[in-house]
Every structure is written in C-alpha cells, then in structure tokens.
Amino acid sequence: MTSVLYTSPYVPWEWIAAHGCEPVRFRPQGDGLHSSVARAQGLCPYVQAWVSDALLSDSADAIVMTTCCDQMRRAFEIVTGQIGLPCFLLDLPHVCESESASLRYRDEILR
C-alpha cells in the first residue's frame, strides 16, 4: 500500500485513505539534520526536524504538507527540490468559521 506522510492534523486522513493510500501522520524525531535543511534559512527547529526526517525517510511514497505557517511553505520548496516523490501543498484558510473559508477548504480538498 502507498504510504503518504502528512504534516498537520488539518490534513484529513480520510481524504488520503479515500485514494487507497495509507495515511501516516509524521512526527519528527530530530535524529539527524539533512544537509539541505542545514543550509536553509527561516525554519524553526520543528520544521527543520520534520523536513530532515522526511528527506531521510525511506517509508514514504508521497508527502502532503500544509500552508499552516510560513516555515512549512518554505519547507515545501526544500522538500520538492530534494526528493523524487509526489508532493502536495494543501492551502489552508486562516479563518475557519466563515462560509467562504469552508468553501475554500472544500475546493482545496477537491483539487
């Protein structure tokens, strides 16, 4: 089964499973720092650990990341430039209690 790593609880695991993939909520261990992350600027320690672990992992077949913070947006650029796996950036609305935000989230899931 295809394993899909995802970064955030805002990524619905049911959405990944509906595509016939195994959702894996990836939590960084921070055991080693990948060289591409060591050179990157503007990443918090959590994102550095997440990207390093994702790049060093051999268990992923695809990765889903979110726009929950600027560091994760930057991390997506690093990951897509360093890894030969399909990667998807899920654009999250920053407001959650409006109809337009719900529609935007729905449209992003459909994309």
Side-chain angles (χ1 to χ4, degrees):
M1 180 176 277
T2 302
S3 294
V4 177
L5 302 183
Y6 66 101
T7 61
S8 169
Y10 299 117
V11 175
W13 65 266
E14 302 90 345
W15 172 65
I16 295 170
H19 288 87
C21 301
E22 177 187 4
V24 179
R25 173 89 189 276
F26 197 65
R27 292 182 175 92
Q29 301 301 309
D31 294 333
L33 193 60
H34 192 274
S35 61
S36 64
V37 176
R39 295 186 310 267
Q41 295 180 350
L43 299 181
C44 69
Y46 177 83
V47 173
Q48 282 183 330
W50 197 95
V51 172
S52 291
D53 288 359
L55 292 175
L56 296 170
S57 172
D58 59 354
S59 64
D61 297 305
I63 297 175
V64 176
M65 299 176 74
T66 66
T67 59
C68 60
C69 66
D70 290 337
Q71 290 88 3
M72 274 296 178
R73 287 186 193 102
R74 177 72 180 115
F76 182 77
E77 296 169 7
I78 295 168
V79 170
T80 57
Q82 295 291 322
I83 202 163
L85 299 176
C87 297
F88 182 77
L89 184 64
L90 182 66
D91 187 23
L92 296 176
H94 291 285
V95 177
C96 62
E97 298 194 15
S98 70
E99 184 178 347
S100 63
S102 296
L103 292 172
R104 181 175 169 200
Y105 186 63
R106 183 205 65 193
D107 290 345
E108 191 63 8
I109 294 295
L110 292 173
R111 179 176 69 93

